[in-house]
């Protein structure tokens, strides 16, 4: 099995039975904030795009590059389609000219022509990507590969049970706006960023240990930031709180925990994977490339400056009445929302900075009142500040996902009072009736389900599944004194009270082991 690195989470998998192109991303994403690094725009995409199969893991725009898919990927390719809860991915791919689809039943092995086998695991929580994320398992002639990319399954058992995996490709770096955009003292940002960076690596080590593949390939990040206003987000400034470590940092950190089987793929690198080993060739030495990282970024910045400026010129739509547009888009969804509106629980404020860089229009999305209106000097728990032009553009293009567009762009600042509230971001990811209805149904089912199984972790008996997204706490739960951390997403719980320390809601069931032992037979566990 030949794996050709094509940048970020993208790769081309070649076997004697067929070829698969995964997640090709070349053009800037999220308001021209994110670019692939190392740069992959100079690869021979005319040739790379002539494949038998296309796999797009999810609709994040650093995985789903509509322009590149339209211009460079063969429309004779059969799309390996995850079993997502909505038809959005298929609809978007059909609009680009793709007509052949293989709808892969979730977690079921499908044998393609020539003995090539695939299995796709689709994740369907409203917080998984833009309503869905997925991983692709491939087997040919005894060689097995797992392309986990960004996906965060609760465990990898379903893949391990199919046989020993020889190549494991997974995310290790950041792909979020936290904590950089928050209006906090720099010392606090650094501390929170350092914690997040450490959690990212801890989660990666856990996945690697679960699968125990022969070779581990760090992929799906980090992006690079070439706009002068975002340049500080690149991990070249010696900031220990930067959440975007690159592949060379991965190798260094992996070595600290005993990892010796890591392989970096530059764009154009080729790994020949067999059941007995892997041989990799690179367009240039990996260590040499990352030693010159700053120079590579500076060269890219100058080369892409015109692309960024052209994108910026397209954002302003002064003809759009933003307040009226937000009311028209959001208020009907507020009327339909039960769980998300209740979960947000208060008004969310948008401060929109005008073209002059000085004037500000403040608009409130009032979740309890089910309306969008001008800000009335009330207290809000969440506040976002961004350019008015960005909201104009979202309204102009009818964007249904402001999280995986505006927020991932990092072209905003945020402030909040109290804990993180996942419902805020879940709602702004679901600005269509189809998405909202799915999310409401998912939360309804999730809230009504009761996980009755308990497990012992240290001195505590706790429910086995994390209240957040049902991760198995026997695998991801770490108890330190009276606090439990679920390493899958870094959520923390106070065990004596059961209170979630990371977000509102999501109370955990827990009791001390000695209290459990002294309880009457059949007595309740609180």
């Amino acid at each position: 099995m030949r794996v050709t690195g094509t940048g970020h989470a993208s790769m081309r998998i070649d076997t004697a039975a067929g070829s698969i192109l995964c997640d090709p991303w070349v053009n800037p994403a999220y308001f021209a904030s994110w670019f692939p690094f190392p740069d992959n725009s100079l690869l021979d995409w005319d040739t790379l795009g002539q494949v038998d199969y296309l796999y797009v893991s999810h609709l994040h725009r650093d995985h789903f590059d509509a322009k590149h898919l339209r211009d460079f990927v063969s429309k004779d390719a059969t799309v390996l389609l995850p079993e997502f809860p909505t038809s959005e991915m298929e609809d978007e791919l059909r609009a680009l000219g793709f007509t052949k689809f293989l709808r892969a039943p979730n977690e079921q092995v499908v044998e393609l022509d020539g003995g090539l086998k695939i299995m796709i695991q689709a994740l369907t929580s409203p917080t998984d990507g833009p309503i869905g994320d997925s991983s692709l398992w491939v087997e040919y002639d005894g060689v097995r590969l797992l392309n986990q990319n960004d996906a965060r399954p609760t465990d990898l058992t379903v893949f391990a049970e199919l046989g020993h995996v020889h190549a494991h490709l997974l995310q290790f770096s950041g792909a979020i706006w936290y904590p950089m955009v928050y209006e906090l003292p720099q010392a606090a940002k650094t501390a929170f960023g350092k914690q997040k960076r450490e959690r990212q690596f801890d989660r990666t080590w856990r996945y690697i240990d679960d699968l125990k593949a022969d070779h581990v390939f760090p992929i799906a990040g980090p992006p690079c930031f070439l706009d002068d206003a975002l340049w500080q987000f690149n991990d070249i400034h010696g900031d220990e709180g930067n959440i975007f470590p690159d592949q060379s940092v991965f190798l260094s950190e992996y070595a600290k925990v005993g990892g010796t089987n890591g392989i970096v793929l530059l764009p154009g690198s080729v790994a020949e994977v067999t059941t007995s080993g892997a041989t990799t060739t690179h367009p240039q030495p990996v260590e040499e490339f990352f030693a010159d990282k700053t120079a590579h970024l500076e060269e890219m910045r100058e080369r892409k400056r015109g692309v960024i400026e052209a994108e910026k010129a397209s954002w302003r739509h002064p003809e759009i009445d933003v307040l009226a547009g937000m009311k028209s888009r959001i208020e009907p969804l507020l009327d339909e929302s039960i769980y998300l509106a209740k979960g947000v629980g208060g008004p969310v404020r948008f401060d929109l900075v005008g073209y002059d860089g000085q004037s500000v229009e403040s608009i409130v999305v009032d979740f309890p009142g089910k309306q969008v209106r001008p800000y009335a000097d009330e207290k809000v728990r969440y506040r976002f500040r961004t350019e008015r032009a960005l909201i104009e553009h979202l309204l102009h293009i009818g964007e249904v996902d402001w999280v995986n567009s505006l927020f991932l762009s990092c072209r905003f600042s945020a402030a909040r009072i109290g804990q993180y509230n996942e419902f805020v971001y879940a709602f702004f990811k679901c600005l269509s009736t189809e998405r909202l209805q799915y999310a409401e149904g998912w939360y309804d089912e999730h809230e009504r389900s009761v996980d009755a199984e308990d497990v012992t972790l240290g001195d505590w008996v706790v429910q086995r599944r994390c209240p957040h997204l049902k991760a198995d706490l026997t695998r991801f739960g770490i108890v330190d004194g009276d606090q439990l951390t679920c390493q899958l997403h870094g959520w923390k719980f106070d065990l004596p009270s059961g209170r979630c320390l990371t977000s509102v809601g999501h109370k955990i069931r827990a009791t001390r082991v000695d209290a459990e032992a002294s309880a009457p037979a059949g007595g309740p566990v609180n």
Side-chain angles (χ1 to χ4, degrees), residues 10-22:
S10 178
M11 72 201 74
R12 175 172 162 145
I13 302 167
D14 283 276
T15 73
S19 54
I20 308 171
L21 182 62
C22 305

Side-chain angles (χ1 to χ4, degrees), residues 168-185:
H168 184 189
L169 300 97
L170 77 167
Q171 184 189 55
F172 66 98
S173 191
I176 197 68
W177 54 87
Y178 172 86
M180 305 87 67
V181 305
Y182 276 87
E183 297 169 8
L184 296 167

Side-chain angles (χ1 to χ4, degrees), residues 92 103 116 176 205 291 349 360 404 521:
E92 292 210 32
R103 296 169 182 81
L116 180 62
I176 197 68
W205 310 150
R349 173 175 142 199
V360 176
N404 298 299

Side-chain angles (χ1 to χ4, degrees), residues 153-222:
T154 55
D155 64 62
L156 301 180
T157 303
V158 67
F159 302 110
E161 290 175 346
L162 297 175
H164 180 69
V165 172
H166 303 95
H168 184 189
L169 300 97
L170 77 167
Q171 184 189 55
F172 66 98
S173 191
I176 197 68
W177 54 87
Y178 172 86
M180 305 87 67
V181 305
Y182 276 87
E183 297 169 8
L184 296 167
Q186 186 55 50
K189 284 187 183 181
T190 299
F192 291 138
K194 185 178 180 181
Q195 291 174 7
K196 180 157 184 59
R197 183 170 169 136
E198 291 171 351
R199 287 202 306 267
Q200 290 167 180
F201 281 126
D202 287 343
R203 180 174 60 239
T204 304
W205 310 150
R206 180 60 60 91
Y207 280 131
I208 291 171
D209 185 61
D210 280 352
L211 199 61
K212 294 180 174 61
D214 288 347
H215 308 287
V216 173
F217 297 77
I219 64 164

Side-chain angles (χ1 to χ4, degrees), residues 102-176:
L102 189 159
R103 296 169 182 81
N106 192 41
E107 298 186 353
Q108 294 185 29
V109 175
V110 178
E111 185 163 347
L112 308 176
D113 293 340
L116 180 62
K117 298 178 182 179
I118 63 104
M119 183 177 77
I120 297 177
Q121 181 189 64
L123 305 180
T124 57
S125 158
T127 57
D128 288 319
I131 310 298
D133 202 342
S134 67
S135 300
L136 172 70
W137 174 91
V138 180
E139 179 181 351
Y140 179 74
D141 196 23
V143 180
R144 302 179 193 91
L145 172 151
L146 176 62
N147 171 13
Q148 188 181 335
N149 66 85
D150 290 5
R152 299 180 189 175
T154 55
D155 64 62
L156 301 180
T157 303
V158 67
F159 302 110
E161 290 175 346
L162 297 175
H164 180 69
V165 172
H166 303 95
H168 184 189
L169 300 97
L170 77 167
Q171 184 189 55
F172 66 98
S173 191
I176 197 68

Side-chain angles (χ1 to χ4, degrees), residues 253-469:
E253 294 298 315
Y254 190 32
K256 293 178 183 178
V257 296
T260 59
N261 61 341
I263 299 176
V264 169
L265 295 177
L266 300 175
S269 295
V270 177
E272 299 281 356
V273 183
T274 69
T275 56
S276 59
T279 303
T280 310
T281 57
H282 302 287
Q284 70 178 99
V286 172
E287 289 186 7
E288 177 183 298
F289 177 85
F290 285 102
D292 294 332
K293 178 178 179 178
T294 300
H296 288 302
L297 285 170
E298 289 174 343
E299 185 275 331
M300 281 185 68
R301 175 167 61 173
E302 293 309 311
R303 185 156 41 90
K304 303 291 187 180
R305 194 177 294 276
V307 174
I308 295 172
E309 293 308 314
E311 288 249 6
K312 288 182 175 180
S314 72
W315 298 342
R316 292 187 179 184
H317 299 279
E319 74 279 5
I320 290 180
D321 182 329
V322 172
L323 176 60
M326 289 179 66
K327 286 177 71 71
S328 175
R329 164 56 61 87
I330 294 173
E331 284 188 348
L333 300 174
L334 290 174
D335 286 339
E336 295 179 29
S337 179
I338 299 172
Y339 283 94
L340 295 184
K342 181 181 178 182
V344 176
V348 174
R349 173 175 142 199
F350 286 81
D351 291 339
L352 308 182
V353 181
Y355 299 165
D356 58 7
Q358 301 293 326
S359 59
V360 176
E361 178 183 8
S362 294
I363 296 173
V364 162
V365 180
D366 183 347
F367 284 85
K370 301 294 182 81
Q371 62 177 314
V372 177
R373 55 176 172 76
Y375 174 57
D377 294 326
E378 70 266 43
K379 184 177 181 179
V380 298
R381 292 192 175 275
Y382 260 83
R383 174 172 56 79
F384 301 111
R385 183 182 180 91
T386 191
E387 295 179 40
R388 175 188 175 91
L390 301 185
I391 303 297
E392 290 175 350
H393 189 68
L394 293 175
L395 293 170
H396 175 74
I397 64 175
E399 178 60 63
V400 301
D401 188 343
W402 289 15
V403 171
N404 298 299
S405 50
L406 171 63
F407 293 134
L408 275 177
S409 77
C410 298
R411 295 184 183 276
F412 74 106
S413 66
R416 74 172 190 246
I417 299 172
Q419 297 170 309
Y420 167 79
N421 188 320
E422 75 171 81
F423 298 101
V424 172
Y425 296 104
F427 180 84
F428 285 105
K429 190 184 288 187
C430 296
L431 299 183
S432 72
T433 297
E434 183 181 26
R435 285 193 176 203
L436 184 76
Q437 288 300 318
Y438 172 73
E440 287 285 320
W442 189 91
Y443 277 108
D444 179 44
E445 181 181 352
H446 185 78
E447 290 295 324
R448 288 187 290 106
S449 65
V450 177
D451 187 344
E453 184 178 2
D454 292 317
V455 295
T456 300
L457 297 177
D459 296 330
W460 290 87
V461 175
V462 301
Q463 65 188 67
R464 178 166 185 164
R465 296 288 175 177
C466 177
H468 175 219
L469 288 177

